[in-house]
Amino acid sequence: MTEAVSSLSADLAPLAAHVHRQWQAHGRESPIPGLFLTCAEAPSGPIHAVYRPSLCVVVQGAKTSQLGERLYHYAAGKCLITSLEVPVRAHIVHASPEAPYLAFSLSVEAELVADLLLEHGPADAPDACAALEVQSLPTDLIDPLMRLMALCDQPRDRPVLAPLIRREIVWRLLNSPLGRNLRQIGFADTRLSRIGRTIAHIRDHYDAPLNVPSLAALAGMSPATFHRHFKAATALSPVQFQKTLRLQEARRRLLLNEADVTQVGYALGYESPSQFSREYRRLFGAPPGRDSTRIRQSLTPEVAA
């Protein structure tokens, strides 16, 4: 192990202890809005989720996230920046009871990024880049992240100090190798921000037929240019993106027993139950009814005989 890695591991140990203790006290949702904690004692199966603009930091263990055909691997000392709202398939790959996977994510608000850019620059919009990027955690972020985590135990200080520390974290991110991705969140008219507007439209109308020319007009691009930039940012075509959102929503509704399989499929815009079942199985590995039953059973505690 190199001296740099050893030093980073030593720096991460107190942060990992904070994350584990706060997880035990609060579970996934910390008392700080937008700060979410993760602890897992074993590798996971596929986790289907929608990532929103945020910083994710791994302090112990490792995880992979897949966006389209792109695979992102991040272990202790690495962080993932998300600059668009995108559906992903993730796996926790390194975790055990002795060394659980420990991580946290912190939402990043476009308004805060924009304020810092307006006040302190740089004024030029960045070149377009992908929605996800993995980098080593900048060492100057460890201290403010520790101070933010400590505020979970300081309810009187949180309203005053949490906004200041979040501002510091975003500023340090903007001046790190992740700054290019983060800057795209704050600029109103970058290619990525225009793609972001179309993503919000798809999200709000995922059950309606997809109209690519209308989406292209919303982005201020020709259909061909829009399609190219959308896939460059999200690794998915607009049709694939909408399909993934639809199927994730279908899974949520089935787990909540909101309706039967056929009703859910029709409600989300599928023309036939067979088409819905086929596409659902392709994404989740099992037909909708069987998949939702399996998940509910896995979440139900066993009753002692």
PDB file of all heavy atoms in Angstrom, residues 203-241:
ATOM      1  N   ARG A 203     -39.630  12.882 -16.815  1.00  0.00           N
ATOM      2  CA  ARG A 203     -39.983  12.410 -15.470  1.00  0.00           C
ATOM      3  C   ARG A 203     -41.429  12.763 -15.120  1.00  0.00           C
ATOM      4  O   ARG A 203     -42.161  11.956 -14.547  1.00  0.00           O
ATOM      5  CB  ARG A 203     -39.031  13.032 -14.450  1.00  0.00           C
ATOM      6  CG  ARG A 203     -39.302  12.619 -12.990  1.00  0.00           C
ATOM      7  CD  ARG A 203     -38.611  13.581 -12.062  1.00  0.00           C
ATOM      8  NE  ARG A 203     -39.152  14.936 -12.198  1.00  0.00           N
ATOM      9  CZ  ARG A 203     -38.435  16.040 -12.087  1.00  0.00           C
ATOM     10  NH1 ARG A 203     -37.145  15.991 -11.874  1.00  0.00           N
ATOM     11  NH2 ARG A 203     -39.018  17.231 -12.217  1.00  0.00           N
ATOM     12  N   ASP A 204     -41.842  13.966 -15.463  1.00  0.00           N
ATOM     13  CA  ASP A 204     -43.193  14.421 -15.106  1.00  0.00           C
ATOM     14  C   ASP A 204     -44.262  13.846 -16.029  1.00  0.00           C
ATOM     15  O   ASP A 204     -45.456  13.913 -15.698  1.00  0.00           O
ATOM     16  CB  ASP A 204     -43.254  15.949 -15.144  1.00  0.00           C
ATOM     17  CG  ASP A 204     -42.389  16.589 -14.070  1.00  0.00           C
ATOM     18  OD1 ASP A 204     -42.045  15.890 -13.098  1.00  0.00           O
ATOM     19  OD2 ASP A 204     -42.045  17.780 -14.221  1.00  0.00           O
ATOM     20  N   HIS A 205     -43.851  13.300 -17.205  1.00  0.00           N
ATOM     21  CA  HIS A 205     -44.823  12.771 -18.166  1.00  0.00           C
ATOM     22  C   HIS A 205     -44.397  11.386 -18.658  1.00  0.00           C
ATOM     23  O   HIS A 205     -44.549  11.060 -19.827  1.00  0.00           O
ATOM     24  CB  HIS A 205     -44.960  13.722 -19.368  1.00  0.00           C
ATOM     25  CG  HIS A 205     -45.335  15.133 -19.001  1.00  0.00           C
ATOM     26  ND1 HIS A 205     -44.402  16.092 -18.672  1.00  0.00           N
ATOM     27  CD2 HIS A 205     -46.552  15.733 -18.898  1.00  0.00           C
ATOM     28  CE1 HIS A 205     -45.024  17.224 -18.384  1.00  0.00           C
ATOM     29  NE2 HIS A 205     -46.318  17.036 -18.517  1.00  0.00           N
ATOM     30  N   TYR A 206     -43.869  10.564 -17.733  1.00  0.00           N
ATOM     31  CA  TYR A 206     -43.334   9.264 -18.141  1.00  0.00           C
ATOM     32  C   TYR A 206     -44.402   8.308 -18.660  1.00  0.00           C
ATOM     33  O   TYR A 206     -44.112   7.336 -19.347  1.00  0.00           O
ATOM     34  CB  TYR A 206     -42.574   8.604 -16.984  1.00  0.00           C
ATOM     35  CG  TYR A 206     -43.408   8.394 -15.738  1.00  0.00           C
ATOM     36  CD1 TYR A 206     -44.293   7.336 -15.627  1.00  0.00           C
ATOM     37  CD2 TYR A 206     -43.313   9.270 -14.671  1.00  0.00           C
ATOM     38  CE1 TYR A 206     -45.059   7.158 -14.496  1.00  0.00           C
ATOM     39  CE2 TYR A 206     -44.070   9.098 -13.535  1.00  0.00           C
ATOM     40  CZ  TYR A 206     -44.943   8.034 -13.441  1.00  0.00           C
ATOM     41  OH  TYR A 206     -45.703   7.865 -12.328  1.00  0.00           O
ATOM     42  N   ASP A 207     -45.681   8.589 -18.341  1.00  0.00           N
ATOM     43  CA  ASP A 207     -46.758   7.704 -18.774  1.00  0.00           C
ATOM     44  C   ASP A 207     -47.366   8.147 -20.106  1.00  0.00           C
ATOM     45  O   ASP A 207     -48.307   7.523 -20.601  1.00  0.00           O
ATOM     46  CB  ASP A 207     -47.856   7.633 -17.715  1.00  0.00           C
ATOM     47  CG  ASP A 207     -48.389   9.007 -17.319  1.00  0.00           C
ATOM     48  OD1 ASP A 207     -47.746  10.019 -17.669  1.00  0.00           O
ATOM     49  OD2 ASP A 207     -49.438   9.061 -16.648  1.00  0.00           O
ATOM     50  N   ALA A 208     -46.816   9.215 -20.699  1.00  0.00           N
ATOM     51  CA  ALA A 208     -47.336   9.724 -21.974  1.00  0.00           C
ATOM     52  C   ALA A 208     -46.428   9.282 -23.118  1.00  0.00           C
ATOM     53  O   ALA A 208     -45.251   8.990 -22.918  1.00  0.00           O
ATOM     54  CB  ALA A 208     -47.416  11.252 -21.933  1.00  0.00           C
ATOM     55  N   PRO A 209     -46.967   9.216 -24.349  1.00  0.00           N
ATOM     56  CA  PRO A 209     -46.112   8.882 -25.499  1.00  0.00           C
ATOM     57  C   PRO A 209     -44.958   9.870 -25.616  1.00  0.00           C
ATOM     58  O   PRO A 209     -45.129  11.072 -25.398  1.00  0.00           O
ATOM     59  CB  PRO A 209     -47.076   9.003 -26.688  1.00  0.00           C
ATOM     60  CG  PRO A 209     -48.444   8.798 -26.110  1.00  0.00           C
ATOM     61  CD  PRO A 209     -48.387   9.398 -24.734  1.00  0.00           C
ATOM     62  N   LEU A 210     -43.783   9.349 -25.968  1.00  0.00           N
ATOM     63  CA  LEU A 210     -42.595  10.192 -26.075  1.00  0.00           C
ATOM     64  C   LEU A 210     -42.570  10.901 -27.423  1.00  0.00           C
ATOM     65  O   LEU A 210     -42.715  10.265 -28.466  1.00  0.00           O
ATOM     66  CB  LEU A 210     -41.336   9.333 -25.913  1.00  0.00           C
ATOM     67  CG  LEU A 210     -40.044  10.094 -25.650  1.00  0.00           C
ATOM     68  CD1 LEU A 210     -40.040  10.652 -24.228  1.00  0.00           C
ATOM     69  CD2 LEU A 210     -38.840   9.178 -25.840  1.00  0.00           C
ATOM     70  N   ASN A 211     -42.373  12.210 -27.387  1.00  0.00           N
ATOM     71  CA  ASN A 211     -42.319  13.008 -28.611  1.00  0.00           C
ATOM     72  C   ASN A 211     -40.930  13.646 -28.701  1.00  0.00           C
ATOM     73  O   ASN A 211     -40.673  14.686 -28.096  1.00  0.00           O
ATOM     74  CB  ASN A 211     -43.417  14.088 -28.590  1.00  0.00           C
ATOM     75  CG  ASN A 211     -43.527  14.828 -29.913  1.00  0.00           C
ATOM     76  OD1 ASN A 211     -42.530  15.202 -30.508  1.00  0.00           O
ATOM     77  ND2 ASN A 211     -44.758  15.044 -30.356  1.00  0.00           N
ATOM     78  N   VAL A 212     -40.029  12.992 -29.427  1.00  0.00           N
ATOM     79  CA  VAL A 212     -38.642  13.452 -29.490  1.00  0.00           C
ATOM     80  C   VAL A 212     -38.527  14.846 -30.103  1.00  0.00           C
ATOM     81  O   VAL A 212     -37.776  15.684 -29.594  1.00  0.00           O
ATOM     82  CB  VAL A 212     -37.763  12.426 -30.235  1.00  0.00           C
ATOM     83  CG1 VAL A 212     -36.358  12.987 -30.484  1.00  0.00           C
ATOM     84  CG2 VAL A 212     -37.672  11.132 -29.429  1.00  0.00           C
ATOM     85  N   PRO A 213     -39.252  15.167 -31.200  1.00  0.00           N
ATOM     86  CA  PRO A 213     -39.151  16.538 -31.732  1.00  0.00           C
ATOM     87  C   PRO A 213     -39.537  17.602 -30.703  1.00  0.00           C
ATOM     88  O   PRO A 213     -38.914  18.666 -30.643  1.00  0.00           O
ATOM     89  CB  PRO A 213     -40.109  16.524 -32.923  1.00  0.00           C
ATOM     90  CG  PRO A 213     -40.109  15.099 -33.378  1.00  0.00           C
ATOM     91  CD  PRO A 213     -40.027  14.294 -32.114  1.00  0.00           C
ATOM     92  N   SER A 214     -40.556  17.327 -29.887  1.00  0.00           N
ATOM     93  CA  SER A 214     -40.949  18.298 -28.857  1.00  0.00           C
ATOM     94  C   SER A 214     -39.867  18.437 -27.789  1.00  0.00           C
ATOM     95  O   SER A 214     -39.581  19.538 -27.311  1.00  0.00           O
ATOM     96  CB  SER A 214     -42.266  17.878 -28.196  1.00  0.00           C
ATOM     97  OG  SER A 214     -43.327  17.930 -29.125  1.00  0.00           O
ATOM     98  N   LEU A 215     -39.249  17.311 -27.411  1.00  0.00           N
ATOM     99  CA  LEU A 215     -38.157  17.362 -26.444  1.00  0.00           C
ATOM    100  C   LEU A 215     -36.968  18.139 -27.017  1.00  0.00           C
ATOM    101  O   LEU A 215     -36.322  18.924 -26.308  1.00  0.00           O
ATOM    102  CB  LEU A 215     -37.730  15.952 -26.051  1.00  0.00           C
ATOM    103  CG  LEU A 215     -38.729  15.146 -25.212  1.00  0.00           C
ATOM    104  CD1 LEU A 215     -38.230  13.716 -25.053  1.00  0.00           C
ATOM    105  CD2 LEU A 215     -38.940  15.785 -23.851  1.00  0.00           C
ATOM    106  N   ALA A 216     -36.674  17.898 -28.294  1.00  0.00           N
ATOM    107  CA  ALA A 216     -35.576  18.611 -28.938  1.00  0.00           C
ATOM    108  C   ALA A 216     -35.843  20.112 -28.946  1.00  0.00           C
ATOM    109  O   ALA A 216     -34.939  20.921 -28.700  1.00  0.00           O
ATOM    110  CB  ALA A 216     -35.377  18.087 -30.356  1.00  0.00           C
ATOM    111  N   ALA A 217     -37.092  20.497 -29.224  1.00  0.00           N
ATOM    112  CA  ALA A 217     -37.449  21.921 -29.214  1.00  0.00           C
ATOM    113  C   ALA A 217     -37.284  22.504 -27.815  1.00  0.00           C
ATOM    114  O   ALA A 217     -36.826  23.643 -27.648  1.00  0.00           O
ATOM    115  CB  ALA A 217     -38.878  22.100 -29.710  1.00  0.00           C
ATOM    116  N   LEU A 218     -37.650  21.729 -26.792  1.00  0.00           N
ATOM    117  CA  LEU A 218     -37.491  22.183 -25.411  1.00  0.00           C
ATOM    118  C   LEU A 218     -36.019  22.422 -25.085  1.00  0.00           C
ATOM    119  O   LEU A 218     -35.672  23.348 -24.343  1.00  0.00           O
ATOM    120  CB  LEU A 218     -38.085  21.140 -24.451  1.00  0.00           C
ATOM    121  CG  LEU A 218     -38.023  21.444 -22.956  1.00  0.00           C
ATOM    122  CD1 LEU A 218     -38.813  22.707 -22.624  1.00  0.00           C
ATOM    123  CD2 LEU A 218     -38.564  20.252 -22.155  1.00  0.00           C
ATOM    124  N   ALA A 219     -35.146  21.583 -25.655  1.00  0.00           N
ATOM    125  CA  ALA A 219     -33.706  21.728 -25.439  1.00  0.00           C
ATOM    126  C   ALA A 219     -33.074  22.756 -26.372  1.00  0.00           C
ATOM    127  O   ALA A 219     -31.890  23.083 -26.218  1.00  0.00           O
ATOM    128  CB  ALA A 219     -33.013  20.374 -25.621  1.00  0.00           C
ATOM    129  N   GLY A 220     -33.845  23.255 -27.348  1.00  0.00           N
ATOM    130  CA  GLY A 220     -33.297  24.208 -28.302  1.00  0.00           C
ATOM    131  C   GLY A 220     -32.312  23.577 -29.257  1.00  0.00           C
ATOM    132  O   GLY A 220     -31.319  24.200 -29.648  1.00  0.00           O
ATOM    133  N   MET A 221     -32.578  22.325 -29.653  1.00  0.00           N
ATOM    134  CA  MET A 221     -31.684  21.593 -30.544  1.00  0.00           C
ATOM    135  C   MET A 221     -32.483  20.940 -31.653  1.00  0.00           C
ATOM    136  O   MET A 221     -33.708  20.760 -31.527  1.00  0.00           O
ATOM    137  CB  MET A 221     -30.940  20.487 -29.772  1.00  0.00           C
ATOM    138  CG  MET A 221     -30.120  20.944 -28.589  1.00  0.00           C
ATOM    139  SD  MET A 221     -29.402  19.522 -27.707  1.00  0.00           S
ATOM    140  CE  MET A 221     -28.655  20.339 -26.289  1.00  0.00           C
ATOM    141  N   SER A 222     -31.799  20.563 -32.724  1.00  0.00           N
ATOM    142  CA  SER A 222     -32.447  19.732 -33.731  1.00  0.00           C
ATOM    143  C   SER A 222     -32.631  18.334 -33.145  1.00  0.00           C
ATOM    144  O   SER A 222     -31.907  17.945 -32.208  1.00  0.00           O
ATOM    145  CB  SER A 222     -31.582  19.642 -34.988  1.00  0.00           C
ATOM    146  OG  SER A 222     -30.423  18.865 -34.728  1.00  0.00           O
ATOM    147  N   PRO A 223     -33.596  17.530 -33.643  1.00  0.00           N
ATOM    148  CA  PRO A 223     -33.788  16.174 -33.104  1.00  0.00           C
ATOM    149  C   PRO A 223     -32.512  15.336 -33.122  1.00  0.00           C
ATOM    150  O   PRO A 223     -32.213  14.629 -32.152  1.00  0.00           O
ATOM    151  CB  PRO A 223     -34.876  15.592 -34.011  1.00  0.00           C
ATOM    152  CG  PRO A 223     -35.683  16.784 -34.425  1.00  0.00           C
ATOM    153  CD  PRO A 223     -34.676  17.886 -34.590  1.00  0.00           C
ATOM    154  N   ALA A 224     -31.735  15.404 -34.211  1.00  0.00           N
ATOM    155  CA  ALA A 224     -30.518  14.594 -34.297  1.00  0.00           C
ATOM    156  C   ALA A 224     -29.487  15.047 -33.267  1.00  0.00           C
ATOM    157  O   ALA A 224     -28.851  14.218 -32.581  1.00  0.00           O
ATOM    158  CB  ALA A 224     -29.933  14.670 -35.709  1.00  0.00           C
ATOM    159  N   THR A 225     -29.311  16.359 -33.114  1.00  0.00           N
ATOM    160  CA  THR A 225     -28.354  16.882 -32.133  1.00  0.00           C
ATOM    161  C   THR A 225     -28.805  16.567 -30.723  1.00  0.00           C
ATOM    162  O   THR A 225     -28.001  16.174 -29.858  1.00  0.00           O
ATOM    163  CB  THR A 225     -28.199  18.407 -32.303  1.00  0.00           C
ATOM    164  OG1 THR A 225     -27.740  18.678 -33.629  1.00  0.00           O
ATOM    165  CG2 THR A 225     -27.220  18.973 -31.290  1.00  0.00           C
ATOM    166  N   PHE A 226     -30.107  16.729 -30.479  1.00  0.00           N
ATOM    167  CA  PHE A 226     -30.652  16.415 -29.157  1.00  0.00           C
ATOM    168  C   PHE A 226     -30.398  14.948 -28.802  1.00  0.00           C
ATOM    169  O   PHE A 226     -29.923  14.637 -27.695  1.00  0.00           O
ATOM    170  CB  PHE A 226     -32.148  16.710 -29.116  1.00  0.00           C
ATOM    171  CG  PHE A 226     -32.862  16.111 -27.937  1.00  0.00           C
ATOM    172  CD1 PHE A 226     -32.629  16.604 -26.663  1.00  0.00           C
ATOM    173  CD2 PHE A 226     -33.742  15.047 -28.107  1.00  0.00           C
ATOM    174  CE1 PHE A 226     -33.270  16.040 -25.572  1.00  0.00           C
ATOM    175  CE2 PHE A 226     -34.383  14.490 -27.017  1.00  0.00           C
ATOM    176  CZ  PHE A 226     -34.152  14.981 -25.745  1.00  0.00           C
ATOM    177  N   HIS A 227     -30.699  14.045 -29.724  1.00  0.00           N
ATOM    178  CA  HIS A 227     -30.513  12.616 -29.464  1.00  0.00           C
ATOM    179  C   HIS A 227     -29.053  12.327 -29.133  1.00  0.00           C
ATOM    180  O   HIS A 227     -28.746  11.571 -28.199  1.00  0.00           O
ATOM    181  CB  HIS A 227     -30.961  11.804 -30.679  1.00  0.00           C
ATOM    182  CG  HIS A 227     -31.092  10.334 -30.408  1.00  0.00           C
ATOM    183  ND1 HIS A 227     -30.005   9.489 -30.391  1.00  0.00           N
ATOM    184  CD2 HIS A 227     -32.179   9.555 -30.149  1.00  0.00           C
ATOM    185  CE1 HIS A 227     -30.410   8.264 -30.139  1.00  0.00           C
ATOM    186  NE2 HIS A 227     -31.725   8.273 -29.985  1.00  0.00           N
ATOM    187  N   ARG A 228     -28.130  12.937 -29.861  1.00  0.00           N
ATOM    188  CA  ARG A 228     -26.703  12.686 -29.657  1.00  0.00           C
ATOM    189  C   ARG A 228     -26.257  13.188 -28.280  1.00  0.00           C
ATOM    190  O   ARG A 228     -25.573  12.477 -27.538  1.00  0.00           O
ATOM    191  CB  ARG A 228     -25.899  13.363 -30.758  1.00  0.00           C
ATOM    192  CG  ARG A 228     -24.398  13.085 -30.671  1.00  0.00           C
ATOM    193  CD  ARG A 228     -23.658  13.578 -31.894  1.00  0.00           C
ATOM    194  NE  ARG A 228     -23.608  15.042 -31.969  1.00  0.00           N
ATOM    195  CZ  ARG A 228     -24.319  15.773 -32.816  1.00  0.00           C
ATOM    196  NH1 ARG A 228     -25.147  15.179 -33.674  1.00  0.00           N
ATOM    197  NH2 ARG A 228     -24.207  17.097 -32.832  1.00  0.00           N
ATOM    198  N   HIS A 229     -26.678  14.402 -27.928  1.00  0.00           N
ATOM    199  CA  HIS A 229     -26.240  14.954 -26.642  1.00  0.00           C
ATOM    200  C   HIS A 229     -26.933  14.265 -25.469  1.00  0.00           C
ATOM    201  O   HIS A 229     -26.333  14.109 -24.393  1.00  0.00           O
ATOM    202  CB  HIS A 229     -26.495  16.458 -26.604  1.00  0.00           C
ATOM    203  CG  HIS A 229     -25.569  17.244 -27.474  1.00  0.00           C
ATOM    204  ND1 HIS A 229     -24.197  17.116 -27.419  1.00  0.00           N
ATOM    205  CD2 HIS A 229     -25.807  18.165 -28.450  1.00  0.00           C
ATOM    206  CE1 HIS A 229     -23.632  17.926 -28.294  1.00  0.00           C
ATOM    207  NE2 HIS A 229     -24.592  18.561 -28.938  1.00  0.00           N
ATOM    208  N   PHE A 230     -28.178  13.863 -25.644  1.00  0.00           N
ATOM    209  CA  PHE A 230     -28.896  13.157 -24.586  1.00  0.00           C
ATOM    210  C   PHE A 230     -28.173  11.853 -24.261  1.00  0.00           C
ATOM    211  O   PHE A 230     -27.928  11.534 -23.092  1.00  0.00           O
ATOM    212  CB  PHE A 230     -30.336  12.871 -25.030  1.00  0.00           C
ATOM    213  CG  PHE A 230     -31.231  12.375 -23.914  1.00  0.00           C
ATOM    214  CD1 PHE A 230     -32.088  13.253 -23.274  1.00  0.00           C
ATOM    215  CD2 PHE A 230     -31.217  11.050 -23.506  1.00  0.00           C
ATOM    216  CE1 PHE A 230     -32.920  12.815 -22.244  1.00  0.00           C
ATOM    217  CE2 PHE A 230     -32.029  10.603 -22.482  1.00  0.00           C
ATOM    218  CZ  PHE A 230     -32.893  11.490 -21.849  1.00  0.00           C
ATOM    219  N   LYS A 231     -27.796  11.102 -25.301  1.00  0.00           N
ATOM    220  CA  LYS A 231     -27.134   9.815 -25.066  1.00  0.00           C
ATOM    221  C   LYS A 231     -25.725  10.015 -24.534  1.00  0.00           C
ATOM    222  O   LYS A 231     -25.248   9.217 -23.708  1.00  0.00           O
ATOM    223  CB  LYS A 231     -27.110   8.990 -26.347  1.00  0.00           C
ATOM    224  CG  LYS A 231     -26.666   7.545 -26.095  1.00  0.00           C
ATOM    225  CD  LYS A 231     -27.124   6.598 -27.174  1.00  0.00           C
ATOM    226  CE  LYS A 231     -26.850   5.160 -26.771  1.00  0.00           C
ATOM    227  NZ  LYS A 231     -27.321   4.199 -27.789  1.00  0.00           N
ATOM    228  N   ALA A 232     -25.041  11.080 -24.959  1.00  0.00           N
ATOM    229  CA  ALA A 232     -23.701  11.342 -24.439  1.00  0.00           C
ATOM    230  C   ALA A 232     -23.748  11.618 -22.935  1.00  0.00           C
ATOM    231  O   ALA A 232     -22.858  11.204 -22.186  1.00  0.00           O
ATOM    232  CB  ALA A 232     -23.077  12.525 -25.167  1.00  0.00           C
ATOM    233  N   ALA A 233     -24.793  12.301 -22.486  1.00  0.00           N
ATOM    234  CA  ALA A 233     -24.906  12.659 -21.076  1.00  0.00           C
ATOM    235  C   ALA A 233     -25.416  11.512 -20.219  1.00  0.00           C
ATOM    236  O   ALA A 233     -24.937  11.301 -19.106  1.00  0.00           O
ATOM    237  CB  ALA A 233     -25.826  13.873 -20.911  1.00  0.00           C
ATOM    238  N   THR A 234     -26.393  10.760 -20.723  1.00  0.00           N
ATOM    239  CA  THR A 234     -27.082   9.766 -19.893  1.00  0.00           C
ATOM    240  C   THR A 234     -26.758   8.323 -20.241  1.00  0.00           C
ATOM    241  O   THR A 234     -27.163   7.412 -19.508  1.00  0.00           O
ATOM    242  CB  THR A 234     -28.608   9.935 -20.008  1.00  0.00           C
ATOM    243  OG1 THR A 234     -29.017   9.572 -21.340  1.00  0.00           O
ATOM    244  CG2 THR A 234     -29.028  11.369 -19.719  1.00  0.00           C
ATOM    245  N   ALA A 235     -26.057   8.094 -21.357  1.00  0.00           N
ATOM    246  CA  ALA A 235     -25.750   6.745 -21.845  1.00  0.00           C
ATOM    247  C   ALA A 235     -27.007   5.990 -22.265  1.00  0.00           C
ATOM    248  O   ALA A 235     -26.976   4.778 -22.456  1.00  0.00           O
ATOM    249  CB  ALA A 235     -24.972   5.934 -20.801  1.00  0.00           C
ATOM    250  N   LEU A 236     -28.122   6.691 -22.400  1.00  0.00           N
ATOM    251  CA  LEU A 236     -29.387   6.092 -22.813  1.00  0.00           C
ATOM    252  C   LEU A 236     -30.019   6.973 -23.884  1.00  0.00           C
ATOM    253  O   LEU A 236     -29.839   8.194 -23.880  1.00  0.00           O
ATOM    254  CB  LEU A 236     -30.360   5.988 -21.623  1.00  0.00           C
ATOM    255  CG  LEU A 236     -29.940   5.110 -20.448  1.00  0.00           C
ATOM    256  CD1 LEU A 236     -30.837   5.407 -19.255  1.00  0.00           C
ATOM    257  CD2 LEU A 236     -30.007   3.632 -20.808  1.00  0.00           C
ATOM    258  N   SER A 237     -30.784   6.350 -24.780  1.00  0.00           N
ATOM    259  CA  SER A 237     -31.594   7.144 -25.692  1.00  0.00           C
ATOM    260  C   SER A 237     -32.793   7.689 -24.923  1.00  0.00           C
ATOM    261  O   SER A 237     -33.130   7.182 -23.836  1.00  0.00           O
ATOM    262  CB  SER A 237     -32.084   6.276 -26.849  1.00  0.00           C
ATOM    263  OG  SER A 237     -33.057   5.349 -26.379  1.00  0.00           O
ATOM    264  N   PRO A 238     -33.472   8.725 -25.432  1.00  0.00           N
ATOM    265  CA  PRO A 238     -34.669   9.217 -24.733  1.00  0.00           C
ATOM    266  C   PRO A 238     -35.711   8.120 -24.511  1.00  0.00           C
ATOM    267  O   PRO A 238     -36.341   8.069 -23.446  1.00  0.00           O
ATOM    268  CB  PRO A 238     -35.193  10.313 -25.666  1.00  0.00           C
ATOM    269  CG  PRO A 238     -33.975  10.803 -26.383  1.00  0.00           C
ATOM    270  CD  PRO A 238     -33.124   9.583 -26.586  1.00  0.00           C
ATOM    271  N   VAL A 239     -35.883   7.225 -25.487  1.00  0.00           N
ATOM    272  CA  VAL A 239     -36.857   6.139 -25.335  1.00  0.00           C
ATOM    273  C   VAL A 239     -36.434   5.195 -24.221  1.00  0.00           C
ATOM    274  O   VAL A 239     -37.252   4.788 -23.380  1.00  0.00           O
ATOM    275  CB  VAL A 239     -37.023   5.382 -26.666  1.00  0.00           C
ATOM    276  CG1 VAL A 239     -37.867   4.122 -26.465  1.00  0.00           C
ATOM    277  CG2 VAL A 239     -37.671   6.282 -27.721  1.00  0.00           C
ATOM    278  N   GLN A 240     -35.149   4.815 -24.177  1.00  0.00           N
ATOM    279  CA  GLN A 240     -34.662   3.935 -23.122  1.00  0.00           C
ATOM    280  C   GLN A 240     -34.784   4.596 -21.758  1.00  0.00           C
ATOM    281  O   GLN A 240     -35.116   3.941 -20.763  1.00  0.00           O
ATOM    282  CB  GLN A 240     -33.202   3.563 -23.390  1.00  0.00           C
ATOM    283  CG  GLN A 240     -32.988   2.659 -24.584  1.00  0.00           C
ATOM    284  CD  GLN A 240     -31.510   2.529 -24.935  1.00  0.00           C
ATOM    285  OE1 GLN A 240     -30.733   3.477 -24.810  1.00  0.00           O
ATOM    286  NE2 GLN A 240     -31.117   1.338 -25.365  1.00  0.00           N
ATOM    287  N   PHE A 241     -34.518   5.895 -21.714  1.00  0.00           N
ATOM    288  CA  PHE A 241     -34.607   6.630 -20.455  1.00  0.00           C
ATOM    289  C   PHE A 241     -36.037   6.590 -19.921  1.00  0.00           C
ATOM    290  O   PHE A 241     -36.282   6.272 -18.753  1.00  0.00           O
ATOM    291  CB  PHE A 241     -34.166   8.076 -20.685  1.00  0.00           C
ATOM    292  CG  PHE A 241     -33.950   8.869 -19.433  1.00  0.00           C
ATOM    293  CD1 PHE A 241     -32.682   9.019 -18.899  1.00  0.00           C
ATOM    294  CD2 PHE A 241     -35.020   9.480 -18.777  1.00  0.00           C
ATOM    295  CE1 PHE A 241     -32.477   9.769 -17.748  1.00  0.00           C
ATOM    296  CE2 PHE A 241     -34.825  10.213 -17.627  1.00  0.00           C
ATOM    297  CZ  PHE A 241     -33.547  10.358 -17.107  1.00  0.00           C
TER     298      PHE A 241
END
